[in-house]
């Protein structure tokens, strides 16, 4: 018998599988709200002009194809560090940051998970918000960490369950690893206020918890990269030596280029050197070193998303929907957590050729001024 006769058929990916279903649909006005990937008002993927210009420069430079270092190109990682921590960051001035280029945000999470599995002095367990990005659990489980949840979303208020969140963070044993979405929470689009972030930082400091930030949408939430980085920067100012994952898939539209970074704030330059050496030892047998790669227009994308939120809500209200759709405009970032049930999401796909994930999340980037009317009518029909 074949070596693989025992390999079972696995299910399609909860998110990327939606795009397969969308592609299989021949209806000409089909709408894809599944994958969190920005689309312009024609529903087309958007390549930032600055990226096109950089691309031309790289090609014109006729650069050689030499290996990048294990942690990537210093010009890139220095720029990524400055974008995340701020050009005036003490951590950068005191040379206390370990940063490596990664295979996009997923690669940053996986390198982070693997490093924590190998060196974290506390329990090898990470606490994820409930709900969280569909792939977080698998990334950390495959890194060898246990995964637990902390309360995050209150479906009755369609808002943050701040009390539940604080209670669960307090209940976790001292020194637990807590994953935090820096901004534009996926899938709910619900973020803590700056004051709530201050309280979360205080509680985590009291508990000696480790803050593991996932920042996949910096600049994409508010349109301002500094505002969107408030949480990780506040934690660092408060003395948390955080881990931070950066993805440039969405805010730079570099999805398929797989551009990201993983960083760890250390106590001193001496500690940074030891930690960096171990990050290199971890990456070398993983993929050795990252692809040659490149890094302005994100505000334009954030503004279009905010405009589509308002349009969808307005259309639903004009259709006479009895539901309260205010969360569509109060949520922030790539996604709107509609509150629709899985069977309603199925009906949207089967009867209306509108595709999104079963949890009721829609990628607002898939909405255009051309499809928002039909989208509203479809949602109105399945929600009554
Ligand atoms: C919170 C969060 N972290 C990390 C990532 C990973 O992004 P990279 O492409 O590896 O940089 C995503 C992408 N989530 C989007 C995109 C599709 C996907 O990978 O699931 C989504 O949820 O639709 C994300 O939403």
């Amino acid at each position: 018998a074949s070596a693989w006769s025992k390999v079972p058929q696995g299910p399609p990916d909860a998110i990327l599988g939606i795009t397969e279903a969308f592609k299989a649909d021949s209806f000409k006005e089909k709408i894809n709200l599944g994958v969190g990937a920005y689309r312009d008002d024609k529903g087309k993927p958007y390549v930032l002009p600055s990226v096109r210009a950089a691309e031309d420069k790289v090609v014109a430079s006729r650069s050689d194809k030499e290996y990048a270092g294990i942690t990537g190109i210093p010009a890139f990682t220095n720029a990524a560090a400055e974008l995340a921590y701020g050009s005036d960051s003490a951590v950068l001035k005191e040379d206390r940051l370990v940063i490596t280029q990664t295979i996009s945000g997923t690669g940053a999470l996986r390198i982070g998970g693997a490093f924590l599995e190998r060196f974290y002095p506390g329990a090898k367990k990470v606490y994820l918000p409930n709900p969280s990005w569909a792939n977080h659990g698998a990334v950390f489980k495959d890194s060898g960490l246990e995964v637990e949840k902390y309360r995050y979303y209150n479906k009755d208020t369609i808002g943050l369950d701040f009390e539940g969140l604080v209670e669960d963070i307090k209940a976790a044993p001292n020194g637990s690893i807590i994953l935090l979405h820096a901004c534009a929470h996926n899938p709910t689009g619900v973020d803590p206020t700056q004051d709530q972030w201050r309280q979360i930082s205080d509680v985590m400091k009291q508990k000696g918890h480790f803050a593991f930030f996932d920042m996949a949408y910096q600049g994409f939430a508010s349109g301002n990269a500094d505002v969107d980085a408030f949480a990780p920067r506040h934690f660092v100012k408060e003395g948390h030596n955080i881990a931070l994952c950066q993805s440039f898939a969405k805010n730079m539209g570099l999805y398929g280029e797989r551009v990201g970074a993983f960083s760890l704030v250390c106590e001193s330059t001496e500690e940074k050197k030891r930690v960096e050496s171990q990050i290199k030892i971890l990456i070398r047998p993983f993929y050795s070193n990252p692809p040659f790669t490149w890094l302005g227009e994100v505000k334009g994308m954030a503004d279009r998303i905010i405009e589509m939120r308002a349009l969808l809500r307005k259309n639903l209200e004009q259709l006479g929907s009895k539901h309260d759709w205010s969360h569509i405009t109060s949520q922030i970032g790539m996604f709107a957590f509609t509150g629709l049930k899985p069977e309603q999401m199925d009906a949207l796909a089967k009867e209306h050729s509108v595709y999104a994930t079963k949890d009721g999340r829609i990628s607002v980037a898939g909405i255009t001024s051309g499809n928002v009317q039909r989208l509203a009518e479809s949602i109105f029909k399945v929600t009554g």
Side-chain angles (χ1 to χ4, degrees):
S2 137
W4 315 126
S5 53
K6 295 273 178 296
V7 173
Q9 173 64 42
D13 183 84
I15 294 171
L16 301 178
I18 301 290
T19 298
E20 306 309 310
F22 169 78
K23 282 181 183 157
D25 187 329
S26 56
F27 182 54
K28 68 177 176 22
E29 285 186 42
K30 59 187 177 178
I31 302 172
N32 186 7
L33 306 177
V35 68
Y38 182 80
R39 298 290 179 257
D40 65 16
D41 198 38
K42 301 266 173 306
K44 296 276 172 276
Y46 173 62
V47 179
L48 277 60
S50 55
V51 168
R52 277 287 181 242
E55 211 168 24
D56 294 345
K57 269 195 201 150
V58 167
V59 171
S61 73
R62 287 272 174 273
S63 62
D64 59 42
K65 299 289 176 201
E66 274 311 289
Y67 282 129
I70 297 175
T71 55
I73 323 269
F76 166 75
T77 48
N78 293 339
E82 208 171 303
L83 183 69
Y85 295 89
S87 44
D88 57 346
S89 153
V91 165
L92 301 186
K93 288 199 179 79
E94 293 155 17
D95 190 18
R96 293 195 284 126
L97 189 78
V98 174
I99 184 162
T100 178
Q101 184 180 329
T102 57
I103 315 286
S104 217
T106 306
L109 290 157
R110 187 61 185 268
I111 294 299
F115 183 81
L116 287 169
E117 192 282 329
R118 191 170 288 186
F119 292 106
Y120 188 65
K124 313 278 184 181
K125 179 190 288 190
V126 59
Y127 286 77
L128 301 179
N130 185 17
S132 195
W133 176 42
N135 201 25
H136 272 148
V139 165
F140 291 115
K141 281 194 193 110
D142 283 4
S143 302
L145 297 173
E146 275 181 77
V147 172
E148 286 256 2
K149 291 187 172 151
Y150 61 87
R151 274 171 286 171
Y152 187 85
Y153 179 68
N154 178 332
K155 64 182 183 327
D156 304 327
T157 63
I158 308 200
L160 187 68
D161 178 1
F162 185 65
E163 292 64 36
L165 181 156
V166 170
E167 234 175 83
D168 289 352
I169 302 278
K170 280 184 176 165
N174 289 358
S176 293
I177 302 166
I178 313 289
L179 182 111
L180 301 163
H181 294 228
C183 65
H185 181 266
N186 174 1
T188 66
V190 170
D191 285 359
T193 60
Q194 290 195 353
D195 188 51
Q196 288 172 329
W197 274 124
R198 288 190 186 90
Q199 294 177 62
I200 294 168
S201 167
D202 291 347
V203 169
M204 285 182 60
K205 208 155 57 166
Q206 284 153 21
K207 295 285 293 178
H209 286 340
F210 181 80
F212 190 121
F213 276 98
D214 182 1
M215 185 155 74
Y217 297 95
Q218 183 183 7
F220 209 96
S222 71
N224 178 311
D226 294 323
V227 168
D228 286 354
F230 169 78
R233 291 185 191 178
H234 175 72
F235 271 61
V236 169
K237 250 188 228 109
E238 287 291 296
H240 295 270
N241 286 350
I242 67 171
L244 175 69
C245 299
Q246 290 172 270
S247 163
F248 294 101
K250 296 88 175 176
N251 55 3
M252 295 298 284
L254 291 171
Y255 304 94
E257 298 284 3
R258 312 307 295 140
V259 185
F262 175 71
S263 54
L264 274 167
V265 173
C266 294
E267 209 48 37
S268 63
T269 305
E270 183 276 331
E271 182 172 83
K272 169 214 161 158
K273 288 197 169 76
R274 284 186 283 110
V275 169
E276 187 175 55
S277 70
Q278 292 299 338
I279 287 279
K280 286 180 171 176
I281 289 168
L282 196 148
I283 289 174
R284 177 71 171 127
F286 227 140
Y287 53 79
S288 182
N289 51 83
F292 233 72
T293 188
W294 25 61
L295 214 16
E297 288 87 0
V298 72
K299 185 170 182 333
M301 294 192 278
D303 289 348
R304 195 185 88 72
I305 296 255
I306 291 164
E307 189 193 340
M308 289 303 119
R309 287 180 182 277
L311 260 180
L312 176 58
R313 177 181 170 183
K314 188 157 82 49
N315 274 276
L316 282 163
E317 289 167 351
Q318 279 171 352
L319 284 164
S321 171
K322 294 282 166 290
H323 297 273
D324 170 8
W325 295 104
S326 56
H327 56 290
I328 300 271
T329 48
S330 62
Q331 290 165 353
I332 188 163
M334 180 77 89
F335 305 106
F337 214 41
T338 59
L340 268 68
K341 298 180 179 39
E343 55 276 15
Q344 292 172 317
M345 298 311 288
D346 278 340
L348 276 183
K350 292 196 175 49
E351 295 154 33
H352 302 277
S353 291
V354 171
Y355 293 86
T357 43
K358 298 275 171 290
D359 57 2
R361 178 193 93 166
I362 61 171
S363 174
V364 180
I367 304 175
T368 67
S369 47
N371 68 24
V372 63
Q373 167 98 33
R374 193 178 87 70
L375 172 60
E377 285 159 3
S378 307
I379 292 175
F380 180 60
K381 286 198 189 103
V382 302
T383 54

